Amino acid sequence: MAVQAPSQKVAVEQYEEAIIQCQGVNKWYGEFHVLKDISLEVAPQEVVVVIGPSGSGKSTFIRCINRLEEHQEGTIIVDGIELSHDVRNIAEIRRETGMVFQQFNLFPHLTALENVALAPMKVRHRSRQEAEARAMELLTRVGIPEQAKKYPGQLSGGQQQRVAIARALAMEPRIMLFDEPTSALDPEMIKEVLDVMKQLARSGMTMVVVTHEMGFAREVADRVIFMDHGRIVEQGPPEHFFSKDVEHHPRTQEFLDQILLSF
Amino acid sequence: MVDSSEPKRRSPAIAINYDNAPPRNPPLLEIGVLAWVRKNLFGSPLDALLTIVGVVLVAAVVVGTIEWTIERADWYSIILNVDRFMTGRLPGAVVWRVSIVVIFIMVTAGVLTAAYVRRLSPVIPLLLLLIALTVVIVPALVRALLPVPPAYLAAGAAPIISGTAEETPLPAVAFLARQNETLVIDFPAFAADDAGLAAMHGIVDRATNTLRNAAANRLSDMARYVEVVTLLARDEARLTATGGEYGDLTENGRATLQRELERLAAVVPPDSADAVAALRARLAAPALTPSEIDSLRAELAALVVPPTVVDTYRLNGQPVTLRLLDGNGTPAADEQVLVPGTTEPVRFLIPADGWYILEKTLPAGAEGAAILMARGIAPVFERSAGYLRLSDMFQFPGAAPVRDDDSLRPLVLNENRYRGDRSLEAYLYLYVTNFLVEIQIAVVAAIAAAAAGYAMAQQADRLFSPRDVPRRASQRLALWLLIATPVVVFVFINGFDLLAYSAALAWVVAIYAAYQAGLLLYQRGASTLVRLLAGVLLLAGAGLVFSLLPALIYDLPPTPPAFAGLLALPVAVAGLAGAWIGTGAGAAELTRRVTRAGGLAALLLIAPIIAGRVLPGSTRDSIAAILPYIDPDTWGGLLLALFITIYGTLLAFPLGILLALGRRSSLPAIKYPCILVIEMVRGTPFIVVLFAGQLLIPLVNENFAAIPNAYRALGATVIFVAAYLAENIRGGLQSIPGGQQEAGKALGLPEWQVTLYITLPQALRAVIPALVGQFISLFKDTSLLEIVGLTDLSRTVTNMVAQTEFNDARREGLVFITIIYFVLSYVIAYISRRIEESGSGAARRI
């Protein structure tokens, strides 16, 4: 059913090797078929924005990429490592993949600095000084060095999400997954988080972003993917998606009409 | 009304109030105490009713309790057994070890406060200061301001009779006195009549008590006599009036009263000025029937006034000869005579500390008795270390003087106790003061230790903490003290063998060194082979230290593994050096780690080595004798309760965490055994688990029967507490949102690290209130240890009551342990509340 946008082929050919390769991924929650034959390749340094209505499976899909959800059919290869039941593979992929959640999921018993420094110390065996110095650097990069000694409960939503981004970056991942990073934020805080994400995209990070922020998609994305009912319905560059002249899949059109109305 | 063109939208009238009136006070009933009372106590008729009922109930309980506390309770039972309540049957020679432990714990508490309490409420130090001042100043004040409560002693040769009791005053009494005290002896004023005699109160010897009882019985018998006669007369009048149909009383009631009348008539011939007065008063009353008047007249005519107790014994009507002898029976002062009617009391100056004998005799051939009021004589209590004078806890090691004919006895507590309702002064002087004196040193030392710990931590922060982490030094200190506390407590309370200590120490050092080296190797990405090699070598090194210690310390020949160790030494050095070169660690880092490990080793090893090598003539035995092993079955009282509570919780903690994690495991082989243990223990009362510890453990292996009772009880406690902790911790783990685990996993942390660093710390913080509740309830549950034969606080009460002196003091004992349980539980609960409020314990939720 999917209308294959012509640009997709271009995108794959443009880069020599995909960093994320999904082939025929299927997933069921019990009887419920959540992901249906998802095939997708993401090239290094590409920014892919996944959009779609609630329940379309977009969050489930990116959570499959770092194995927070298990898929039942198909293959997912991240950075040349195939996701399987092998714990070592999973660990390796997770080390290469940072993830930012809708609900931030900061560790409330640790300060912002400790949140960022924890994983490098425990997983990469950095010394405390080394890890904290790097954490401080990252906090500066996301613009909140002065909040380093505060606990998550003392920070605003936007600040928390920026700490969460810094925490994911601390592992020096090659891929960043964003799962609706701005959905739980007050409108005036969305911008500060999006700014950090734009900056990250410009620095050449491979990103897969699930979001409803069409402005972000239009400005930053190399490719936009529209998912509905567990399928990739349509994909293409943002110019394709956000131009009114192109003929879209009816489902896409419906979704875009609704979304763009609210702009 | 500026604009009238729009009648529908009228702007408001302009009004400006230039009257700058001063603020008025609110109505009287709306502010302050009155308002509070009105709103909170009498807000509605129901509230008012509840308030009144509540106040009446509280008053009924409180007034009775206070009366009992001041007037009648025998608090010497507590004062003289404080040590038992604190440490049980712990030998007196090792009590100092408990003191050191208490001091250590209080220092730790002070450091913890300085390190973790964000803003110390000024109430706490003030309260502690107040307590310290109270225990020091109140005794001094009371002794300076209030008179010494007198002792009342009887003299005379004739037996004193009250009912069936018969007591002959002893001609002499032995007592403890100190140099330069003055013994003042006088006739007490109250002994002039029976009423005064009956109402007397004070420290009283047995003969005087018999006199007091005789007077009191006579008065109450007489009063009752009049009452019975009146009741019977009224009954008879009624019977006559109804022609024998019915009277005031039932037949049984009448017969009972008749019998009582006969008894009273035998004891007290109908008499007394009071009775006469009462009958006269009734005769004078109007509206008596002629028959009533007749019967009352007849009763009056039958009255014979019997002699009062005072007259019977010619109390204080004869001169008393007083002689003061020292403990050997040689006169210590000139003989003096106390003459009735003179106002001047007899005084003796005590020449030196020790035992004295006061001889008190009436003139030869004189009948009757005398009551002497003696200031300076107080009952004594026999202790293992000698005798204790109870008015001021003066202790004297010498044995009390005796005479062959038993005419001399020391004024001991169980025979010469306080009789009658006490006055507040006597309560303060004899009990409050002595109790405070008994606990003075301990309380002041404990508070001073806490203050010292607090000051020390603050000083450490001032000197060593970096500016941006102002409490790092004190928090590190607190952490180390906390880790050291259980070790110190165990070493001091249990005793320790230096050799075993050295061995344990060697392992501590080895494990620490292995940890440091492991970190080094792991971080520098050494190959597995190098790591393995280093590990083996480190263990060999530990074996070396372990086996060489006796030789190092006591000049004993090294144990055989030492030779293996010796061989291992160069290999170990070479291996470590190789590992170092192989991993390319910076020399600075290696030095830092080696210094750290070495520093710890030196700190821990230096004491035994100095003790063993430097102290002249020290051998293994002489060093072990510093802290010899104490039989745990002698532990008791608060010591036992706290030991079981603290170690029970401490040891149950890791077990509880393991059970909780085990129960959440997806592996059936781990999950179901955990569920079985948890549910079995939780489905069983603590008593049954305790008995299982006593009875079932020896079934596992006969040798386990040799484990001291206290340790078996501890084992049972640990399992019991762990099961409950496990459920608490599991609840805590379940309350952690799933996102936490996902975030941890997404960062690449392996599952066990996610648990260790992310979910478990949060779960533990979330369950602190439940943990404290568990701790407090275990502390209270230690009262069950009595049942498995341990001397806990309640068994201490039982043991105390078994002493003849304190047969009647069960209530006092129970009140005292109630206070101990309550105060400690409350303090723990308060601290826990503060931890929660301060936020350092509570999970900081997003």
Side-chain angles (χ1 to χ4, degrees):
Chain A
M1 281 297 287
V3 173
Q4 292 294 318
S7 60
Q8 195 230 351
K9 214 177 169 193
V10 180
V12 176
E13 281 169 358
Q14 196 174 333
Y15 306 102
E16 64 282 20
E17 194 189 340
I19 193 164
I20 303 175
Q21 294 171 301
C22 301
Q23 201 61 51
V25 174
N26 275 285
K27 177 172 174 60
W28 289 264
Y29 281 132
E31 298 280 303
F32 180 60
H33 201 171
V34 213
L35 297 180
K36 301 168 186 160
D37 287 325
I38 303 280
S39 295
L40 178 74
E41 299 202 333
V42 180
Q45 308 210 333
E46 191 181 2
V47 178
V48 174
V49 170
V50 185
I51 60 175
S54 312
S56 59
K58 48 192 196 306
S59 282
T60 310
F61 170 58
I62 74 163
R63 288 158 63 85
C64 280
I65 297 177
N66 68 350
R67 194 64 164 196
L68 286 182
E69 303 280 355
E70 211 173 302
H71 61 281
Q72 278 102 21
E73 272 181 28
T75 53
I76 299 179
I77 299 172
V78 179
D79 203 13
I81 308 156
E82 180 169 359
L83 267 182
S84 61
H85 288 285
D86 190 330
V87 184
R88 275 173 303 180
N89 281 359
I90 296 174
E92 207 161 322
I93 286 176
R94 283 178 180 161
R95 258 175 269 153
E96 300 302 325
T97 320
M99 185 156 196
V100 176
F101 299 86
Q102 181 179 357
Q103 297 297 340
F104 328 138
N105 293 346
L106 289 183
F107 307 133
H109 61 300
L110 302 177
T111 62
L113 190 73
E114 289 163 343
N115 260 284
V116 181
L118 178 74
M121 276 159 57
K122 302 304 172 196
V123 181
R124 299 242 190 256
H125 305 294
R126 301 269 183 273
S127 73
R128 176 175 284 275
Q129 289 91 327
E130 211 176 319
E132 287 192 346
R134 173 90 182 114
M136 206 60 213
E137 237 170 73
L138 285 166
L139 286 177
T140 313
R141 195 166 143 198
V142 298
I144 41 173
E146 71 284 353
Q147 314 287 0
K149 292 279 148 86
K150 288 196 182 160
Y151 287 90
Q154 300 163 301
L155 301 178
S156 74
Q159 289 168 336
Q160 290 191 43
Q161 194 60 298
R162 286 190 276 164
V163 174
I165 295 173
R167 178 177 70 179
L169 290 177
M171 287 297 289
E172 288 155 18
R174 300 194 56 199
I175 303 163
M176 285 286 281
L177 305 174
F178 291 84
D179 186 4
E180 303 204 26
T182 56
S183 300
L185 292 177
D186 291 342
E188 70 260 38
M189 291 171 184
I190 291 179
K191 186 178 171 299
E192 61 188 55
V193 173
L194 290 181
D195 284 346
V196 171
M197 288 168 63
K198 285 175 195 164
Q199 178 202 337
L200 196 59
R202 278 195 290 275
S203 73
M205 175 65 74
T206 311
M207 290 164 67
V208 179
V209 184
V210 172
T211 187
H212 295 297
E213 295 298 325
M214 294 304 147
F216 175 80
R218 198 190 316 231
E219 186 182 338
V220 181
D222 295 315
R223 183 158 39 130
V224 178
I225 290 176
F226 175 70
M227 280 182 75
D228 190 33
H229 292 297
R231 276 180 212 286
I232 294 177
V233 175
E234 187 170 340
Q235 50 181 310
E239 313 82 70
H240 160 80
F241 257 85
F242 299 110
S243 95
K244 298 208 163 115
D245 320 327
V246 184
E247 190 195 337
H248 290 294
H249 186 282
R251 191 65 196 89
T252 317
Q253 192 60 54
E254 195 185 330
F255 179 76
L256 285 175
D257 288 346
Q258 273 173 358
I259 287 261
L260 296 176
L261 263 185
S262 62
F263 269 92
Chain B
M1 299 288 239
V2 185
D3 192 354
S4 56
S5 64
E6 270 185 39
K8 280 182 187 169
R9 293 182 61 196
R10 303 196 325 178
S11 56
I14 293 168
I16 300 172
N17 188 359
Y18 289 109
D19 176 17
N20 194 4
R24 289 192 304 130
N25 288 329
L28 191 62
L29 285 178
E30 297 299 326
I31 50 157
V33 183
L34 274 180
W36 186 88
V37 167
R38 194 170 60 85
K39 280 179 194 147
N40 295 293
L41 299 182
F42 300 101
S44 71
L46 183 64
D47 283 0
L49 186 70
L50 288 176
T51 301
I52 291 166
V53 170
V55 166
V56 168
L57 284 178
V58 169
V61 174
V62 168
V63 169
T65 311
I66 291 180
E67 259 177 22
W68 172 76
T69 303
I70 294 178
E71 293 180 355
R72 293 188 300 280
D74 175 16
W75 294 118
Y76 277 136
S77 58
I78 304 302
I79 297 168
L80 298 171
N81 286 292
V82 166
D83 50 349
R84 295 248 170 157
F85 279 106
M86 292 302 130
T87 56
R89 291 180 292 120
L90 203 70
V94 297
V95 167
W96 65 272
R97 285 158 59 168
V98 179
S99 313
I100 288 192
V101 165
V102 171
I103 299 279
F104 185 86
I105 289 176
M106 292 309 288
V107 169
T108 308
V111 172
L112 273 174
T113 311
Y116 288 105
V117 176
R118 282 184 186 168
R119 242 172 282 121
L120 188 65
S121 148
V123 177
I124 309 291
L126 276 179
L127 195 68
L128 290 178
L129 191 67
L130 197 70
I131 292 173
L133 285 178
T134 306
V135 296
V136 174
I137 288 179
V138 167
L141 272 183
V142 169
R143 282 183 183 160
L145 298 179
L146 297 181
V148 192
Y152 298 103
L153 310 170
I160 292 159
I161 297 159
S162 165
T164 53
E166 189 179 319
E167 194 72 40
T168 308
L170 291 169
V173 62
F175 65 98
L176 270 178
R178 309 183 76 165
Q179 194 174 11
N180 292 335
E181 281 178 347
T182 312
L183 174 59
V184 183
I185 298 167
D186 201 355
F187 289 125
F190 62 74
D193 58 27
D194 273 20
L197 202 54
M200 77 175 287
H201 58 87
I203 297 162
V204 163
D205 71 4
R206 287 170 67 149
T208 310
N209 194 42
T210 314
L211 277 168
R212 183 182 76 97
N213 287 344
N217 288 346
R218 178 175 162 274
L219 288 177
S220 68
D221 282 354
M222 284 189 319
R224 178 66 183 157
Y225 182 83
V226 172
E227 200 178 353
V228 171
V229 166
T230 312
L231 285 173
L232 283 172
R234 197 182 293 157
D235 177 54
E236 202 172 326
R238 192 70 177 274
L239 270 175
T240 320
T242 58
E245 196 93 352
Y246 58 89
D248 266 1
L249 302 165
T250 62
E251 298 232 340
N252 266 342
R254 194 175 299 127
T256 313
L257 281 183
Q258 292 283 8
R259 278 201 299 279
E260 195 179 350
L261 187 66
E262 278 165 33
R263 183 185 71 77
L264 286 169
V267 177
V268 186
D271 86 321
S272 118
D274 297 347
V276 174
L279 287 172
R280 289 239 162 84
R282 293 193 51 222
L283 269 172
L288 284 178
T289 60
S291 65
E292 277 180 321
I293 294 175
D294 284 348
S295 81
L296 284 172
R297 280 205 176 119
E299 206 180 306
L300 192 58
L303 276 173
V304 181
V305 179
T308 61
V309 171
V310 170
D311 290 341
T312 311
Y313 296 103
R314 294 187 60 201
L315 205 60
N316 294 355
Q318 303 162 89
V320 183
T321 310
L322 298 166
R323 291 174 68 208
L324 184 69
L325 313 173
D326 67 14
N328 304 320
T330 48
D334 290 341
E335 178 178 299
Q336 297 191 52
V337 180
L338 186 64
V339 184
T342 52
T343 49
E344 199 52 34
V346 164
R347 291 169 194 278
F348 291 108
L349 187 69
I350 304 295
D353 287 4
W355 280 104
Y356 287 90
I357 299 166
L358 180 71
E359 284 188 343
K360 43 198 173 30
T361 42
L362 294 181
E367 292 186 353
I371 293 183
L372 303 171
M373 180 172 81
R375 291 186 186 279
I377 294 184
V380 291
F381 180 75
E382 193 174 357
R383 269 193 168 173
S384 54
Y387 280 86
L388 199 65
R389 184 167 72 167
L390 291 180
S391 61
D392 61 352
M393 297 287 147
F394 163 52
Q395 191 141 7
F396 192 75
V402 284
R403 283 181 190 165
D404 296 340
D405 59 1
D406 201 28
S407 64
L408 170 69
R409 249 179 276 160
L411 202 73
V412 289
L413 175 66
N414 55 336
E415 291 180 356
N416 307 279
R417 53 183 55 201
Y418 204 101
R419 314 274 180 172
D421 290 351
R422 275 192 305 264
S423 62
L424 182 63
E425 285 173 16
Y427 168 69
L428 289 175
Y429 200 105
L430 294 175
Y431 300 95
V432 174
T433 303
N434 284 335
F435 179 72
L436 294 181
V437 167
E438 194 76 353
I439 63 169
Q440 205 169 49
I441 295 172
V443 169
V444 172
I447 292 177
Y454 189 80
M456 182 169 79
Q458 287 206 322
Q459 191 58 35
D461 276 338
R462 230 166 275 139
L463 293 178
F464 303 116
S465 285
R467 187 153 300 193
D468 57 333
V469 200
R471 289 190 178 185
R472 196 168 73 187
S474 59
Q475 288 180 351
R476 288 210 174 152
L477 187 62
L479 188 70
W480 279 107
L481 283 174
L482 266 187
I483 293 172
T485 302
V487 180
V488 169
V489 172
F490 185 80
V491 162
F492 273 82
I493 303 290
N494 182 73
F496 82 132
D497 179 336
L498 204 63
L499 206 62
Y501 164 74
S502 308
L505 211 57
W507 285 107
V508 169
V509 172
I511 289 168
Y512 187 77
Y515 166 74
Q516 288 291 353
L519 271 185
L520 186 68
L521 296 172
Y522 201 44
Q523 282 183 7
R524 293 295 158 190
S527 71
T528 315
L529 188 67
V530 171
R531 286 184 207 167
L532 206 65
L533 189 67
V536 169
L537 291 176
L538 279 164
L539 284 180
L544 170 79
V545 178
F546 173 41
S547 50
L548 277 184
L549 266 177
L552 277 175
I553 299 176
Y554 312 112
D555 290 334
L556 296 177
T559 40
F563 300 112
L566 266 177
L567 287 176
L569 186 64
V571 189
V573 171
L576 266 179
W580 173 43
I581 296 160
T583 57
E589 182 157 3
L590 191 75
T591 317
R592 192 162 57 84
R593 293 199 183 281
V594 168
T595 331
R596 234 190 245 182
L600 181 79
L603 266 180
L604 293 173
L605 287 174
I606 209 155
I609 291 182
I610 285 181
R613 308 275 319 175
V614 179
L615 293 184
S618 60
T619 62
R620 191 203 148 167
D621 289 342
S622 72
I623 293 163
I626 299 172
L627 289 177
Y629 176 73
I630 303 175
D631 179 7
D633 289 340
T634 64
W635 301 345
L638 189 59
L639 173 71
L640 178 74
L642 285 177
F643 190 88
I644 296 280
T645 312
I646 293 173
Y647 280 89
T649 314
L650 213 62
L651 298 176
F653 212 79
L655 187 60
I657 290 176
L658 288 181
L659 282 173
L661 294 175
R663 192 169 182 173
R664 281 166 65 88
S665 164
S666 51
L667 304 174
I670 293 177
K671 182 174 182 175
Y672 290 105
C674 286
I675 293 182
L676 184 74
V677 171
I678 291 173
E679 293 306 330
M680 256 187 64
V681 173
R682 272 160 45 92
T684 325
F686 186 37
I687 281 197
V688 174
V689 179
L690 278 177
F691 270 118
Q694 299 296 310
L695 304 175
L696 297 186
I697 287 180
L699 292 186
V700 177
N701 184 328
E702 283 173 12
N703 295 329
F704 288 173
I707 300 173
N709 202 340
Y711 283 135
R712 275 185 283 159
L714 180 64
T717 310
V718 166
I719 291 174
F720 183 76
V721 175
Y724 281 88
L725 278 183
E727 285 301 274
N728 284 337
I729 292 168
R730 193 167 68 100
L733 284 171
Q734 258 157 7
S735 76
I736 308 301
Q740 291 291 312
Q741 229 176 343
E742 286 183 354
K745 281 197 219 160
L747 284 169
L749 292 169
E751 199 112 7
W752 65 271
Q753 284 192 341
V754 171
T755 304
L756 187 63
Y757 298 117
I758 295 167
T759 45
L760 199 56
Q762 293 185 52
L764 293 183
R765 281 163 208 236
V767 299
I768 281 181
L771 296 184
V772 174
Q774 189 74 43
F775 187 84
I776 292 176
S777 96
L778 174 61
F779 176 55
K780 291 182 291 184
D781 280 349
T782 54
S783 52
L784 294 173
L785 293 173
E786 176 181 21
I787 291 170
V788 291
L790 290 167
T791 324
D792 75 308
L793 282 168
S794 42
R795 172 58 71 92
T796 309
V797 175
T798 314
N799 288 352
M800 179 185 91
V801 175
Q803 304 171 58
T804 38
E805 287 89 349
F806 308 121
N807 279 161
D808 304 328
R810 185 177 291 274
R811 205 180 319 185
E812 286 82 347
L814 291 175
V815 166
F816 186 59
I817 66 170
T818 306
I819 294 173
I820 294 180
Y821 277 125
F822 172 73
V823 168
L824 278 172
S825 302
Y826 186 83
V827 167
I828 298 165
Y830 174 83
I831 293 171
S832 132
R833 261 204 313 281
R834 286 301 309 271
I835 294 176
E836 284 162 49
E837 282 166 12
S838 77
S840 48
R844 295 182 179 86
R845 289 263 159 265
I846 300 169

